[in-house]
Amino acid sequence: MSFLPDLAGWALSGGAGRNDDQDNEQQQQQQQQQQQQPMVTESEEEIRAKRLARLSAIRTDATTVNPKADGGASPSRSTNDKNESSVQNDHDMLPSSSSGNAPRKHDETAAKASAANELATKTLQQMEGPLWKKIRDDGLDSKNKKSSGVASVTESAVPSEKKMASSKIPGRKIQILKERLLEKTLKIKLTCPASNDSESQETSSTSSSDIVPIDIGTDQITKENISEIIAERLALPPNSKYLTSVPMTDQKLISYLGACHRRISEELKSQSTISSSNVMISQQQQQQQQQQSFQEEIIQLLQETKSQVVSYSATSLMAPDLFVLAQDGPKQLSECLTQAALDPSTSIAIGVAGKNSSYYRALCDELLAQDEDLFQDIFQEVLRHFQEDLSRQSECVMETFGTSGNSGSGMVQVAALTIMCSHKKVAAVVVHSANFLLPSEGSQEASEEVRISLPPPPAGATPQQVQIYRMMSAMAQGRQSYRKRSGPALEKNTLLGLVMRLGMPMESNVVISQFQNVGRMTRNDVQQKTDMLRRQLKVYQDAVCGLIKALITAGEETRKMVIQWFTDALLVNTGATAMRPDRNKVSSAQTLQNIAVVLLKLCEPFISDSSRIHPGFVWSPEHHGGIFATSGDDAVSRLGDMSQTCNEPYEPKNKFIPQCFFLCVRALHLSLVASGSFHTNIVRQVNHMAWSIRQRNNDVATDPNFNQILSMQLAHEVSVLAPEMINDALRFFNLSAGFLVQISDQALALMPEHMVDDMCDYVVFVSRFSPKELEGVDLGNIFKVVVKLLSPQYSNTVRNYNLRAKLGDVLHDVYLPTNKDSRSSVPASVSSDPNMGGRPYLLSDSSAQEILAPSLLLLYGEVEHTGYYEKMGHRANIASLLQYLWESNEHRSAFRRITQNRDSFVKFANGIMNEMNSLIVTVMEKLPEIRRVQLQMANPQEWANLSEEQRETISSRHEENEQEVKRALPLCNKTLKMLGFLSTDSDIRGLFLLDELCPRLVNMLLHVLTKLVGAKGMELKVDNPESYNFRPKEMLADLCEIFSSYSDAILFQEHCAKSGYYTNDLMTKAVKTCAKLKLLKDEKMDLFSSLPDNIEAISKTIEDDEALFMDAPDEFLDPLMCTFMKDPVFLPTSGTIIDRSTITQHLLNDPHDPFNRKELSIDMITPATELKERIVAWIQQKRNEKESSAME
């Protein structure tokens, strides 16, 4: 489409800047010539040359032309001139009266006019639509015209001027249709005062206030002069009186032309329907041709008008000085796009036949066809307006700036940007704009500092006050300076950064104010406000996703630029995972969350198909751009050795899929997972503050500090616990797990460690804070990868003990059926395999049946390295899992295989006993202290006599004791239960009776028994023991059951007799208490009851042996324990000989030689064969001597 012929036609006809002294008679002659002579077709080059000459003249005379105040048509033609011209034209069209054949010609003319009029009337009656109905209702049929005083066109023609004038009435009817179309589509009314046509007067009287009168010297509307009509309307100045009554949108050139284009398109659609209908209705070929001729004339006029609207739109943007109304064209276009986002029904980007038929699409195509450079300049300017608007936005999407209402909100601006980028060439302009990307890393610009100017201090402030003010302002603002390649620069300087930074930040006063005085709000009120905020956040995030989709689908080049922006965003925010991120270096949490949300949506097409993801992206620096670097400050740890490499080439079928996947992996690490950790800390602070307030006997609901921190927690939950985002993230992590299950072991070792770590953290986080969101989400792949990585086969691949411990936590918190843990609120469906009839994954998965039990036993010992407090929680979870597996037949064979690996089991058993001893010491020390403080607080007088400082110290210490007991007792209970069910298996029981384990087992059991039923057992009573998980009766039952399992084992009895914790009174009291409380049943009770007598019997044998060994040589005694050695071994590191049981127990806890601290392992020791033979001989000699003495 070219706008040159259209503009040339208007310019050469004098449409702008006509002079008053033009000759009227010459104009009449020109009009007559135009009507009598065929139109001359000019070449494109001629039209271009004339247009350029005319435009040059317009610009030259622009400052000297003084248009009328009313801004109407130029004064070159007077109404009389127009009237005379119109009358002259009418007479020229009539046949000459001096002709001899006048009567005959007159009759023929009248007959043709009557037939044409009848055909036109029938055509109008057949036409549908509001415009045609209005025309019929206004009296275009013969009856209405008679009643209104207008002569009917069906009257018989007579040879008079009035009768002869009726010969042109059918043409006038078509002209009236054109006038109505002009009013409806362009909101323009042609004025021709000299015309006495009653139909014109009637039409004029019905014009609405938004119709602008235009005078072009004639009331004729043709395809040839429509360009001039539009030009006259566009040439009106802003202060024209004709524009005061029209809507504001019609006072601006772009919005006016956009509305015209839409109205014309709607009318063309209606005309096409009418035209098709007429073809079917017509009966006679001649009438059909005439009807089609009328219709085609209207359609051609509408098409030409539509073409001219687009042409003038492009012209006004390319030459803004051509029309006064177009001087701010790019801004007007941005406003139209904004309005399109607010009201899609009037959108310039949606045509009657879809977006490809829209005014915006036609305008972009026209600009591109004329000048691609100007096209880029225009949309760069439009983009600048959007960026300025976005930069003024508050970070909260609920806030708007200025007085523009919703049109100024960030949500609308993003939607408008999306509409703008719906044209692929415009999207290309956007991504190639100057500030779309950050400066490249290593460039001089990237390291430049940007300092934020602080507001000036108040007038009259002292120097000290100025210093304090600046310090406070800097603290309030958070950022004083940042580099041009940094997280803050990403938000402030790039288009997508300005878009991504908006959301529902916890720090926003608008968000926090929704939860003001939250202590007095009901749960339902809180939920309603949270849902309202989340709905607004979702709408905004959907708009952002729409913008990114528009850019990515615009072409390969734009997609590369968008991916590069995401890559830069992740590179400059590597510090976001810190406990306290540096806000001068990283972006806000809301920005990172929006990035993650968008990337999650980009992964949606392949969320169920991990086979399309190529792992080579991670080891291809050329493609990952540094986000998975293996060296430097930003190195990303791998599951395996960082020095490992992979020879598999990176040749994916679709590069975009692995790009989206791995960018999302990194984004979730920097955003959702980090936010989850932050939220956990907030909840911990809220709970601690609530406890402290209650300890002071105050009301948490009225405490202002508590209300403030609780409102911050709820404000943070608006975004971090948004249901749709959680659902998308869980599905993505399940995709990641499926990917890790299917790739090779070599590729698995090269995957980023945080990929597994994040999966564990987030799934556990959701199970604790929003478990209902797990309902209906398939997490089967996560279970499979957890089982795989926990197996002994991959213990060297996943070497991080903390990560391995988290894998166990996932199994416990998510996949352990809820009936095994009454406190869990995770839906039962999460732990069930839908492909196996709803059976739990722990029981139905074949891999779990084979390797999970030994994996958990191995893990129990490994978590020793995770930290003192952390290991308690991990081991409590493992104990619950082992108990559940033990009770199922599916895992019983795996437990039997455990006994085949003696060393592994010894490590596990040693860990149990170490843990139990430590826990018992902690619990037994803290419970009496807790009891003492409880009694002290229960005495108001005694408590009041203490000073405030003393009460604060006691309360603080009391809280620490309570927390420690609450951590220790659950593990203590579960460990006893685990020992109990493991001891029921004869093979496992045999391992516990090994020399290196049995003494420790006995001492541990007797120690606990002493605390429960000993003389100081009463000190363990506390108020509300269940709140501490203290269940002494249950503990005693588990303990007695373990004793009953070993009661008939001679070695167990011997070690009981040797233990310093054992007394006959202790064991007898335990038996009586157990029987009284009926803790054991039948056979087990009988076995436990027999234990005291068995121990007493074997004690005599032990005393005899000790007497026998009393004079043993020193070389036969253990150098550490001073006990008689039964199995001496040699330590190569120090050359010392020691008993095997002693050194084995030592090496279980300390891998060093106890005599010189050199590294030592159990496989390094060798039997002291010669010494053992001498010991055996000596013992035999002593026993022979004893027997001889007895016989004598």
Side-chain angles (χ1 to χ4, degrees):
M1 184 192 311
S2 174
F3 70 89
L4 292 175
D6 310 323
L7 185 60
W10 163 69
L12 294 175
S13 66
R18 298 190 185 106
N19 297 323
D20 290 334
D21 56 354
Q22 290 178 325
D23 186 72
N24 293 336
E25 183 177 355
Q26 183 180 359
Q27 292 182 26
Q28 293 178 7
Q29 294 176 359
Q30 290 176 353
Q31 290 177 3
Q32 294 174 8
Q33 292 174 0
Q34 290 174 2
Q35 293 177 355
Q36 295 174 358
Q37 297 178 2
M39 197 170 176
V40 179
T41 302
E42 297 178 323
S43 66
E44 182 79 8
E45 291 74 10
E46 292 174 337
I47 294 175
R48 181 183 294 274
K50 291 181 179 180
R51 172 190 174 273
L52 293 176
R54 182 60 183 166
L55 286 178
S56 178
I58 292 173
R59 293 190 178 95
T60 304
D61 299 335
T63 57
T64 60
V65 175
N66 183 22
K68 291 184 178 181
D70 61 359
S74 69
S76 58
R77 299 184 182 184
S78 65
T79 56
N80 291 331
D81 294 334
K82 299 170 190 172
N83 185 42
E84 292 173 3
S85 176
S86 177
V87 172
Q88 180 63 40
N89 290 341
D90 290 343
H91 282 284
D92 290 342
M93 293 171 62
L94 297 176
S96 174
S97 59
S98 60
S99 173
N101 298 326
R104 182 177 60 82
K105 291 184 178 180
H106 172 74
D107 292 340
E108 293 175 357
T109 302
K112 291 180 180 180
S114 178
N117 182 47
E118 182 178 357
L119 179 59
T121 302
K122 182 183 296 185
T123 302
L124 289 175
Q125 291 173 349
Q126 294 175 351
M127 290 181 177
E128 299 177 355
L131 177 62
W132 307 107
K133 183 177 184 302
K134 177 174 175 59
I135 293 174
R136 291 198 303 271
D137 293 344
D138 284 348
L140 291 182
D141 56 273
S142 59
K143 288 185 178 181
N144 291 343
K145 285 184 180 290
K146 285 182 179 181
S147 62
S148 61
V150 180
S152 172
V153 294
T154 60
E155 295 179 1
S156 300
V158 293
S160 66
E161 181 176 345
K162 181 176 180 180
K163 297 293 183 181
M164 290 178 0
S166 66
S167 64
K168 63 184 182 67
I169 288 180
R172 184 57 188 156
K173 285 187 176 181
I174 298 299
Q175 189 65 20
I176 292 176
L177 295 183
K178 294 180 180 180
E179 291 175 0
R180 292 295 177 86
L181 285 174
L182 196 67
E183 292 184 16
K184 181 179 180 181
T185 57
L186 298 181
K187 300 296 182 181
I188 292 175
K189 170 66 178 177
L190 291 184
T191 59
C192 188
S195 176
N196 294 322
D197 195 314
S198 60
E199 293 176 325
S200 298
Q201 294 173 3
E202 180 183 354
T203 302
S204 178
S205 64
T206 60
S207 299
S208 61
S209 60
D210 61 344
I211 304 299
V212 176
I214 295 296
D215 183 5
I216 62 169
T218 179
D219 59 354
Q220 298 297 308
I221 302 172
T222 64
K223 186 175 70 172
E224 288 73 20
N225 70 355
I226 194 66
S227 173
E228 183 178 0
I229 295 172
I230 297 174
E232 289 288 349
R233 167 62 175 85
L234 300 182
L236 294 175
N239 60 349
S240 171
K241 66 179 182 180
Y242 298 121
L243 296 182
T244 57
S245 59
V246 301
M248 286 297 299
T249 54
D250 285 358
Q251 295 182 25
K252 297 184 177 181
L253 187 142
I254 300 298
S255 60
Y256 165 71
L257 291 177
C260 292
H261 186 277
R262 187 176 188 86
R263 291 191 292 266
I264 295 169
S265 299
E266 292 172 350
E267 193 60 41
L268 273 172
K269 183 178 181 181
S270 175
Q271 292 294 326
S272 299
T273 304
I274 296 171
S275 178
S276 301
S277 175
N278 285 340
V279 171
M280 292 185 292
I281 294 174
S282 299
Q283 300 295 327
Q284 299 179 5
Q285 186 66 26
Q286 183 178 2
Q287 289 183 344
Q288 178 179 344
Q289 292 177 354
Q290 292 178 354
Q291 287 176 347
Q292 289 180 349
S293 176
F294 292 152
Q295 196 69 26
E296 288 174 0
E297 183 179 354
I298 295 298
I299 291 176
Q300 290 175 5
L301 176 63
L302 288 171
Q303 289 175 340
E304 180 65 18
T305 306
K306 184 177 179 180
S307 174
Q308 293 299 323
V309 164
V310 175
S311 296
Y312 277 114
S313 301
T315 304
S316 62
L317 288 171
M318 298 172 68
D321 58 338
L322 194 59
F323 301 113
V324 179
L325 295 178
Q327 290 181 350
D328 57 346
K331 183 178 180 180
Q332 290 187 34
L333 182 55
S334 69
E335 291 173 351
C336 287
L337 293 169
T338 301
Q339 183 61 33
L342 282 170
D343 185 6
S345 64
T346 61
S347 174
I348 64 171
I350 301 178
V352 295
K355 65 179 183 179
N356 290 332
S357 64
S358 68
Y359 166 75
Y360 177 67
R361 169 74 59 160
L363 175 59
C364 292
D365 292 343
E366 179 72 10
L367 288 170
L368 272 172
Q370 296 308 316
D371 193 324
E372 188 169 352
D373 291 338
L374 276 178
F375 171 84
Q376 295 178 5
D377 293 342
I378 290 168
F379 280 100
Q380 289 280 10
E381 183 66 15
V382 175
L383 181 63
R384 184 183 66 81
H385 288 293
F386 280 121
Q387 285 185 295
E388 289 178 354
D389 290 343
L390 286 169
S391 64
R392 292 195 292 268
Q393 295 291 323
S394 167
E395 291 184 351
C396 179
V397 296
M398 292 182 65
E399 299 181 47
T400 58
F401 65 87
T403 58
S404 55
N406 289 334
S407 63
S409 69
M411 192 178 304
V412 174
Q413 297 298 320
V414 172
L417 274 171
T418 305
I419 295 173
M420 185 178 84
C421 295
S422 62
H423 194 282
K424 294 183 178 181
K425 292 296 184 179
V426 178
V429 172
V430 170
V431 300
H432 287 95
S433 59
N435 292 328
F436 185 79
L437 296 178
L438 290 172
S440 58
E441 190 172 4
S443 65
Q444 182 178 358
E445 185 182 3
S447 59
E448 292 179 3
E449 291 280 341
V450 177
R451 295 197 170 273
I452 300 177
S453 57
L454 299 176
T462 64
Q464 184 178 6
Q465 290 173 336
V466 170
Q467 185 177 2
I468 294 175
Y469 176 83
R470 288 177 177 172
M471 181 179 65
M472 297 293 290
S473 299
M475 292 175 61
Q477 197 160 359
R479 297 171 177 162
Q480 299 181 38
S481 64
Y482 58 88
R483 292 188 176 183
K484 287 190 175 181
R485 183 178 174 83
S486 63
L490 184 82
E491 295 176 325
K492 293 177 177 293
N493 299 342
T494 69
L495 173 66
L496 294 183
L498 290 169
V499 170
M500 296 287 183
R501 71 186 181 91
L502 305 183
M504 292 289 179
M506 180 187 69
E507 302 85 0
S508 172
N509 291 330
V510 176
V511 180
I512 294 179
S513 65
Q514 297 294 319
F515 304 102
Q516 191 173 7
N517 297 323
V518 65
R520 298 180 179 180
M521 294 171 63
T522 65
R523 186 181 298 272
N524 187 48
D525 292 338
V526 172
Q527 189 61 48
Q528 287 181 354
K529 290 183 177 292
T530 301
D531 291 342
M532 181 270 293
L533 293 173
R534 284 176 179 168
R535 282 193 297 270
Q536 296 204 29
L537 177 61
K538 183 183 182 302
V539 171
Y540 180 74
Q541 289 177 340
D542 287 346
V544 175
C545 292
L547 173 60
I548 299 301
K549 182 180 178 181
L551 292 174
I552 285 178
T553 56
E556 179 68 22
E557 188 62 28
T558 57
R559 183 161 56 248
K560 286 182 180 179
M561 296 294 286
V562 173
I563 292 297
Q564 184 60 51
W565 185 91
F566 279 118
T567 302
D568 288 344
L570 298 177
L571 287 173
V572 299
N573 283 292
T574 54
T577 56
M579 288 295 294
R580 293 185 177 180
D582 186 352
R583 294 299 302 276
N584 291 325
K585 295 181 179 179
V586 303
S587 303
S588 66
Q590 188 62 61
T591 298
L592 294 172
Q593 179 180 320
N594 285 336
I595 290 174
V597 168
V598 170
L599 289 172
L600 284 171
K601 292 298 183 184
L602 291 179
C603 294
E604 189 69 28
F606 56 90
I607 199 69
S608 300
D609 187 6
S610 58
S611 63
R612 302 171 68 185
I613 304 169
H614 196 294
F617 183 88
V618 172
W619 61 73
S620 177
E622 176 187 354
H623 295 90
H624 67 60
I627 62 174
F628 293 113
T630 56
S631 60
D633 295 337
D634 298 329
V636 178
S637 299
R638 300 296 198 260
L639 281 173
D641 192 346
M642 293 284 284
S643 61
Q644 293 183 1
T645 58
C646 185
N647 298 326
E648 182 181 356
Y650 178 56
E651 297 176 351
K653 294 181 179 179
N654 185 333
K655 292 184 178 180
F656 184 64
I657 290 178
Q659 280 178 336
C660 290
F661 175 77
F662 285 106
L663 287 174
C664 191
V665 166
R666 191 66 178 155
L668 291 175
H669 175 67
L670 299 176
S671 59
L672 268 63
V673 178
S675 296
S677 177
F678 179 76
H679 187 71
T680 302
N681 292 331
I682 293 179
V683 174
R684 189 177 293 119
Q685 292 177 27
V686 170
N687 293 336
H688 176 73
M689 180 175 288
W691 180 89
S692 300
I693 294 172
R694 293 190 183 100
Q695 289 297 112
R696 297 193 298 268
N697 295 323
N698 292 335
D699 184 12
V700 294
T702 58
D703 187 276
N705 294 328
F706 178 77
N707 275 269
Q708 177 66 20
I709 191 172
L710 182 58
S711 65
M712 292 177 63
Q713 174 191 329
L714 295 174
H716 193 246
E717 288 180 355
V718 169
S719 57
V720 79
L721 295 181
E724 183 172 351
M725 183 189 70
I726 290 178
N727 185 274
D728 290 344
L730 290 174
R731 293 168 62 219
F732 179 84
F733 281 123
N734 193 61
L735 169 70
S736 302
F739 166 75
L740 293 173
V741 168
Q742 72 179 20
I743 61 176
S744 65
D745 291 349
Q746 185 183 22
L748 178 64
L750 295 176
M751 291 300 103
E753 186 179 78
H754 71 73
M755 189 173 179
V756 179
D757 203 348
D758 295 344
M759 176 185 67
C760 296
D761 284 342
Y762 195 74
V763 172
V764 171
F765 169 77
V766 174
S767 70
R768 293 176 181 174
F769 292 100
S770 189
K772 66 179 182 179
E773 303 305 331
L774 294 170
E775 183 74 42
V777 181
D778 180 14
L779 301 180
N781 289 334
I782 295 180
F783 178 83
K784 292 178 182 178
V785 79
V786 168
V787 172
K788 174 181 179 178
L789 297 180
L790 275 178
S791 65
Q793 178 184 353
Y794 291 95
S795 59
N796 291 327
T797 301
V798 184
R799 299 167 299 166
N800 187 327
Y801 292 125
N802 288 289
L803 178 54
R804 292 181 64 81
K806 289 180 181 180
L807 293 171
D809 292 342
V810 171
L811 287 179
H812 176 270
D813 292 354
V814 179
Y815 296 100
L816 185 66
T818 54
N819 62 342
K820 302 302 295 181
D821 188 352
S822 59
R823 295 174 300 171
S824 175
S825 54
V826 175
S829 61
V830 178
S831 61
S832 303
D833 187 353
N835 299 322
M836 298 297 290
R839 295 182 64 210
Y841 285 104
L842 288 169
L843 303 182
S844 63
D845 187 80
S846 58
S847 297
Q849 294 173 6
E850 181 179 355
I851 63 176
L852 189 54
S855 299
L856 292 175
L857 291 179
L858 176 64
L859 181 62
Y860 196 97
E862 291 175 335
V863 297
E864 181 72 24
H865 306 283
T866 60
Y868 177 74
Y869 293 113
E870 290 80 5
K871 70 179 180 181
M872 294 184 186
H874 297 320
R875 282 179 171 166
N877 294 341
I878 295 171
S880 296
L881 287 166
L882 285 171
Q883 181 179 0
Y884 180 77
L885 299 182
W886 179 267
E887 294 172 353
S888 64
N889 294 327
E890 291 86 349
H891 291 268
R892 190 54 59 88
S893 60
F895 277 101
R896 292 194 184 99
R897 288 196 299 271
I898 292 173
T899 60
Q900 299 173 6
N901 190 338
R902 170 176 168 169
D903 292 340
S904 177
F905 184 84
V906 167
K907 290 180 180 180
F908 161 70
N910 181 73
I912 290 179
M913 289 179 284
N914 283 342
E915 191 68 44
M916 195 65 189
N917 286 330
S918 175
L919 294 173
I920 289 299
V921 170
T922 299
V923 171
M924 299 314 167
E925 285 181 356
K926 303 301 180 184
L927 284 177
E929 290 187 29
I930 291 173
R931 176 63 176 170
R932 180 179 57 80
V933 175
Q934 286 178 342
L935 293 174
Q936 191 176 18
M937 290 180 173
N939 188 335
Q941 185 176 358
E942 181 183 355
W943 187 250
N945 289 335
L946 299 175
S947 65
E948 181 68 26
E949 183 178 355
Q950 289 176 318
R951 289 197 297 269
E952 188 69 28
T953 302
I954 293 173
S955 297
S956 177
R957 178 63 179 170
H958 180 62
E959 181 188 4
E960 292 177 3
N961 290 337
E962 286 186 321
Q963 294 299 324
E964 200 159 353
V965 168
K966 288 178 180 179
R967 279 191 293 261
L969 272 173
L971 179 56
C972 191
N973 296 332
K974 293 180 179 181
T975 303
L976 279 176
K977 287 187 178 298
M978 182 169 60
L979 279 172
F981 66 72
L982 288 175
S983 297
T984 59
D985 184 87
S986 59
D987 293 336
I988 295 178
R989 194 163 59 244
L991 291 176
F992 273 113
L993 292 174
L994 293 172
D995 287 339
E996 55 265 37
L997 292 180
C998 191
R1000 301 202 65 205
L1001 175 65
V1002 168
N1003 287 331
M1004 184 266 293
L1005 295 175
L1006 289 173
H1007 182 210
V1008 178
L1009 188 64
T1010 302
K1011 296 298 182 180
L1012 291 176
V1013 300
K1016 296 185 177 181
M1018 294 296 295
E1019 297 179 1
L1020 301 180
K1021 292 184 178 180
V1022 293
D1023 295 337
N1024 193 16
E1026 189 62 33
S1027 65
Y1028 304 101
N1029 294 292
F1030 182 46
R1031 309 179 185 100
K1033 182 178 178 180
E1034 186 178 328
M1035 291 179 68
L1036 182 60
D1038 294 335
L1039 195 62
C1040 294
E1041 186 174 356
I1042 296 172
F1043 275 113
S1044 70
S1045 298
Y1046 294 93
S1047 62
D1048 58 351
I1050 301 298
L1051 187 61
F1052 184 83
Q1053 297 170 7
E1054 288 180 358
H1055 283 291
C1056 284
K1058 293 178 181 180
S1059 174
Y1061 291 105
Y1062 178 81
T1063 65
N1064 187 58
D1065 292 341
L1066 174 66
M1067 188 60 66
T1068 302
K1069 184 178 180 180
V1071 171
K1072 290 180 179 180
T1073 304
C1074 185
K1076 179 180 178 180
L1077 298 176
K1078 298 180 180 180
L1079 301 180
L1080 298 178
K1081 296 179 180 180
D1082 302 332
E1083 184 182 356
K1084 290 185 178 181
M1085 187 66 215
D1086 294 339
L1087 289 171
F1088 183 50
S1089 299
S1090 66
L1091 186 58
D1093 294 338
N1094 294 337
I1095 295 175
E1096 283 299 315
I1098 206 167
S1099 295
K1100 296 179 180 180
T1101 304
I1102 293 174
E1103 290 176 0
D1104 293 340
D1105 288 343
E1106 288 179 352
L1108 185 67
F1109 303 146
M1110 189 174 294
D1111 59 345
D1114 291 344
E1115 64 175 334
F1116 292 174
L1117 301 179
D1118 186 277
L1120 284 181
M1121 306 300 294
C1122 294
T1123 56
F1124 191 84
M1125 292 189 294
K1126 296 180 180 180
D1127 186 9
V1129 294
F1130 178 76
L1131 306 184
T1133 50
S1134 62
T1136 306
I1137 295 177
I1138 192 171
D1139 194 62
R1140 181 183 295 275
S1141 61
T1142 302
I1143 192 61
T1144 301
Q1145 290 186 39
H1146 171 82
L1147 293 177
L1148 287 173
N1149 302 298
D1150 186 357
H1152 297 91
D1153 190 317
F1155 300 100
N1156 60 9
R1157 302 305 300 162
K1158 290 184 179 180
E1159 291 189 3
L1160 179 66
S1161 60
I1162 194 68
D1163 57 341
M1164 295 172 64
I1165 63 176
T1166 57
T1169 307
E1170 188 271 335
L1171 179 60
K1172 184 173 183 178
E1173 291 176 353
R1174 288 194 289 123
I1175 289 175
V1176 171
W1178 186 86
I1179 292 174
Q1180 187 63 41
Q1181 178 184 352
K1182 283 293 183 178
R1183 285 177 176 168
N1184 292 337
E1185 291 176 356
K1186 184 177 180 180
E1187 290 177 0
S1188 299
S1189 300
M1191 292 177 63
E1192 295 177 356

